[in-house]
Amino acid sequence: MTGTPPTSAVFTAAVTLKPAQPEHFDLAFTATTQPCPWPKAYGGDLVAQAAAAAMRSVTDGKSLHSMHSYFLRPADIGTEVRYEVEVVRDGRGYSTRQVRGYQNGKPLYVCLAGFAAGEAGPAFHATFTEDVPDPESLPGSAEYLAERSGGSMTEETRAYWSGGRSFDMRHVPGPVYLTVDGERLAHQAVWLKPFDPLRPVDGLTDAQRDLAALAYVCDYTILEPVLRVLDLPWARPGLVTASLDHAMWFHRPGPVGDWLLYVQEAVAADAGRGLGTGRFFTRDHRHLATVVQEGLIRPT
C-alpha cells in the first residue's frame, strides 16, 4: 500500500455479489473475503455480504431494519463464500430472511434479517454528548502510527490499520493499537468516514449500499471498549479475538459519505468473552443504527 492513496474500494469489492445456483434454499450469491493481515477473514465482510444478499432478495421496497448473526467458523481470506437466502416470510408490513454462508462446503455464518415497509408514527432517538472533539482535530490511524512501533505490529498490520479498511478512523480518547492510549475506560468513540466516495454496487441501491457499509465497518472496533478496560491493545503478543455473535438494528436512513460518530461501551467481560455495544450518529446527532456484539477475547 506504500504510495497508494487509501480507498473505500475494499468495502465495495467485498459487497459485490454474483448470483449463483442455490443448493439449499431459495436464492444464492457468492462473494469474496477481502485481504487482511490476520489468519482469518474480517468478520464484517460476512455481515455486510449477508446483508447485501438478504437485501437483494427483497424486491417490494422494504428496508432492512435488523440482523441477528452467529459466526460458526473462521473464514479463509480471499476465498469465495456462498450465501444461501431462505425466503422465510413476506408480509405486507414486514419480511424475514435467513442467510447462511458456506465456504469449503461447510457453514461458517448464519443470520436472520428483518425488513420493514415503514409507517407513520412517533419518533425518538438517543443523542451523544457535545464534548466529543471534532474529527478534524484528531489524528487518523496513519498519522498516529507513522512514528510508532511495538508489540506484534508489523509493516503489514501498520499499513492495514492505516489505510486498508476503507474507512478513516479517529479515536476518542485515543487508539488501542499498540497501547491503550488514554484512560482504561469502559467506553470510547470513533469517528468514521470513507477514504473516498463510496462506489455504486451492482444489485444495491445507494441507500442499501450505505446500510451494508454500516454493517461492514461496525465490526472493526466494537470490541475495543472491552480491550480498553482490560488494558489489552491489539498488538499485545498472543492476543486472540474473534466475533461470536452480533445483532444490529437500523433505525433510520442516512448517507455514509461524511463523518459518523460510533459511540461504544463495554458491557461485560468474563470467561474468555466480552460484550460491547455501539451506536452510529451523524454529525448533526441523528441516530442511524445500534450494534451489540459478543466476541472471544483470549489474552495469551
Side-chain angles (χ1 to χ4, degrees), residues 4 53 55 74 122 137 160 176-177 182 195 200 204 238 256 275 298:
T4 303
M55 287 188 286
S137 69
Y160 184 70
V176 293
Y177 296 124
F195 284 121
L204 299 181
V256 185
L275 184 72
R298 186 176 293 152

Side-chain angles (χ1 to χ4, degrees), residues 128-144 167-173 175 189-194 257-262 281-285:
F128 61 85
T129 171
E130 296 283 354
D131 61 1
V132 178
D134 290 336
E136 292 84 0
S137 69
L138 301 169
S141 299
E143 181 183 353
Y144 180 85
F167 285 78
D168 190 350
M169 302 186 191
R170 305 188 178 193
H171 287 70
V172 181
V190 183
W191 285 105
L192 303 165
K193 182 182 179 181
D258 199 357
W259 289 106
L260 298 177
L261 187 67
Y262 192 14
F281 295 93
T282 62
R283 290 193 78 161
D284 60 358
H285 291 228

Side-chain angles (χ1 to χ4, degrees), residues 8-241:
S8 63
V10 172
F11 156 69
T12 49
V15 294
T16 298
L17 310 183
K18 297 179 181 178
Q21 188 67 29
E23 297 178 0
H24 305 283
F25 296 118
D26 300 299
L27 297 166
F29 303 90
T30 61
T32 302
T33 54
Q34 298 302 294
C36 66
W38 324 120
K40 60 184 183 302
Y42 168 54
D45 276 7
L46 305 183
V47 180
Q49 290 167 354
M55 287 188 286
R56 288 182 62 165
S57 76
V58 177
T59 58
D60 60 2
K62 295 189 185 77
S63 179
L64 179 66
H65 74 82
S66 67
M67 293 181 69
H68 299 264
S69 307
Y70 278 90
F71 301 85
L72 309 179
R73 289 181 173 88
D76 293 337
I77 298 167
T79 302
E80 193 172 81
V81 180
R82 169 186 290 270
Y83 293 93
E84 297 263 354
V85 183
E86 180 184 9
V87 178
V88 178
R89 179 180 182 269
D90 276 321
R92 286 187 299 175
Y94 292 88
S95 294
T96 305
R97 299 291 187 263
Q98 179 183 217
V99 183
R100 290 191 185 184
Y102 298 85
Q103 192 180 69
N104 304 319
K106 297 180 179 179
L108 52 76
Y109 172 90
V110 62
C111 83
L112 284 173
F115 293 81
E119 57 190 84
F124 167 80
H125 63 84
T127 188
F128 61 85
T129 171
E130 296 283 354
D131 61 1
V132 178
D134 290 336
E136 292 84 0
S137 69
L138 301 169
S141 299
E143 181 183 353
Y144 180 85
L145 292 168
E147 303 299 327
R148 288 178 165 88
S149 62
S152 63
M153 186 176 74
T154 64
E155 286 306 309
E156 186 181 14
T157 56
R158 183 202 302 274
Y160 184 70
W161 284 332
S162 296
R165 300 180 291 180
S166 288
F167 285 78
D168 190 350
M169 302 186 191
R170 305 188 178 193
H171 287 70
V172 181
V176 293
Y177 296 124
L178 308 179
T179 62
V180 173
D181 191 336
E183 298 180 67
R184 287 178 55 183
L185 303 171
H187 56 84
Q188 70 170 24
V190 183
W191 285 105
L192 303 165
K193 182 182 179 181
F195 284 121
D196 56 10
L198 296 180
R199 294 149 179 78
V201 175
D202 289 344
L204 299 181
T205 66
D206 287 353
Q208 290 173 327
R209 177 206 60 200
D210 287 355
L211 291 179
L214 294 180
Y216 169 85
V217 76
C218 72
D219 192 29
Y220 278 122
T221 58
I222 187 61
L223 292 181
E224 286 188 350
V226 183
L227 299 181
R228 180 179 297 278
V229 77
L230 297 178
D231 196 24
L232 294 173
W234 287 114
R236 173 176 172 140
L239 176 66
V240 177
T241 65

